Amino acid sequence: MLGGAGLLLVASPAQAAEVAYQTECVPPAISNLPPVEGTTKVEITAPAEAKVGDEVEITWKFVQAASKNPDVLDLDANTVQPTGTLKAAGAQTGDIAMSGPRENPKIPKNSPMQLSTMKGKVKLTTAGDVTLTPDKYNINVSKPISTDTKCTPKETVKPGATIKVSGGGSGSGGAIGGLPTTAPTGLPTGLPTALPTGGGTTGGTAGGSDSGGAAGSGGGGGDGQTDFKGKEVSIPYACKTPIGDKNATSPVQIDAKKDGGNYALTVQFKKSVMDSPADIPADSVKPSMEVKLGGADKGTVHVEGPTNKEPIKTGDPMTIPDLTGTYKPGADGKSTLSPGVLTVKALGTTTTCTPTRTEVSLEIDTTAVEGGASGSGSGSAGGSAGGSDSTSGGLAETGASNDGALRALGLVAGTVILLGGAVFTFLPKARRVVRR
């Protein structure tokens, strides 16, 4: 980005000065982590003297970043890139865009950030003293997804270097040349609260007992009915994540279609519309659920959806297909179906959310079939994300329907919280500031 454009001049020996300033770093919105304050120490190097018309190179070396890599994820080598803004003032004013290469050693969790040295260029247009003061900077982490942490000075910063410019320039307020002067923007702010945002790594069983009003489309069996529409129920989820416990409520509906003695189930999440908070790679997110059986029948039924076929760009609507699976009744009588444990697998991580209270969405008259559910016990909520993961007793034979998408299901955003992390948080002895 920096090489090859014009002649870089160092008309006199370079000067290097260290400057320290209090900084507030704001993690990406999807991390759900608060801002943190710490001390940034940088060393600015620039020529001590130059002439009007010279294009000079300036370097910004990080002596100390404002905080650590939090206790969430190890950062791989060559995944962290800093960019920033250097303020020119005095005889010539403007913003100088600074950028460093994506070069870093592996950075373990809860260890100091190691940022590459940034460089930028400026063409000098006016005679006089030009001061160079470090300002805001941005840290981008490219894997497992792209996230940005924005750091801004919280006090007046002293200049890090001064260039004495001589020559035929006149007037004040020359334009800064060289690199673009706008720093990269971060991720969109705001997350939906209508769906679990996070999760742990182990499965569980649906908590609480069936409750609430009458289930949708009761009956079936002897009257020839084949399609059964469930009612929409609001399910409170409790999720455990590496960055703390999360709680949210999501509207869910369970529908069934009778096929012989079995029922094809479709589980939909309702009213959770949002745009993608980050770039989501194709085939990286796969949701599943253990539908809880009650009434005459016992056990769970595994349902799941296919992974996202296409990448989802930041700000684009997200589309998640319905969760589907096959229910084989194990008892005669009225059986109920309620939302159970929710699992999302994404980019090597597992997010598991357990209802604190579940509610019947659908009640149907069932007739036991061979290998049916009753008495077989509940299946595993944390099964394999791929293939047809069966619960014990042969409960689940998952379908592969790509129909009935829920746009912008917050599952993706919840999983991203585990993946993106915040680059600058949890600095020991630093004051954590929570924005209201």
Side-chain angles (χ1 to χ4, degrees), residues 2 266 430:
L2 304 174
T266 300

mmCIF file of all heavy atoms in Angstrom, residues 2 266 430:
data_model
loop_
_atom_site.group_PDB
_atom_site.id
_atom_site.type_symbol
_atom_site.label_atom_id
_atom_site.label_comp_id
_atom_site.label_asym_id
_atom_site.label_seq_id
_atom_site.Cartn_x
_atom_site.Cartn_y
_atom_site.Cartn_z
ATOM 1 N N LEU A 2 2.048 1.112 0.585
ATOM 2 C CA LEU A 2 2.812 2.321 0.847
ATOM 3 C C LEU A 2 3.936 2.568 -0.146
ATOM 4 O O LEU A 2 4.412 3.679 -0.260
ATOM 5 C CB LEU A 2 3.405 2.244 2.255
ATOM 6 C CG LEU A 2 2.377 2.009 3.358
ATOM 7 C CD1 LEU A 2 3.086 1.805 4.684
ATOM 8 C CD2 LEU A 2 1.445 3.189 3.443
ATOM 9 N N THR A 266 -41.341 -29.645 11.025
ATOM 10 C CA THR A 266 -40.678 -28.419 10.588
ATOM 11 C C THR A 266 -40.714 -27.442 11.751
ATOM 12 O O THR A 266 -41.789 -27.133 12.279
ATOM 13 C CB THR A 266 -41.380 -27.789 9.377
ATOM 14 O OG1 THR A 266 -41.361 -28.720 8.287
ATOM 15 C CG2 THR A 266 -40.677 -26.514 8.947
ATOM 16 N N ALA A 430 -7.015 -2.124 34.132
ATOM 17 C CA ALA A 430 -7.643 -1.077 33.328
ATOM 18 C C ALA A 430 -9.080 -0.918 33.770
ATOM 19 O O ALA A 430 -9.743 -1.861 34.151
ATOM 20 C CB ALA A 430 -7.591 -1.419 31.834
#
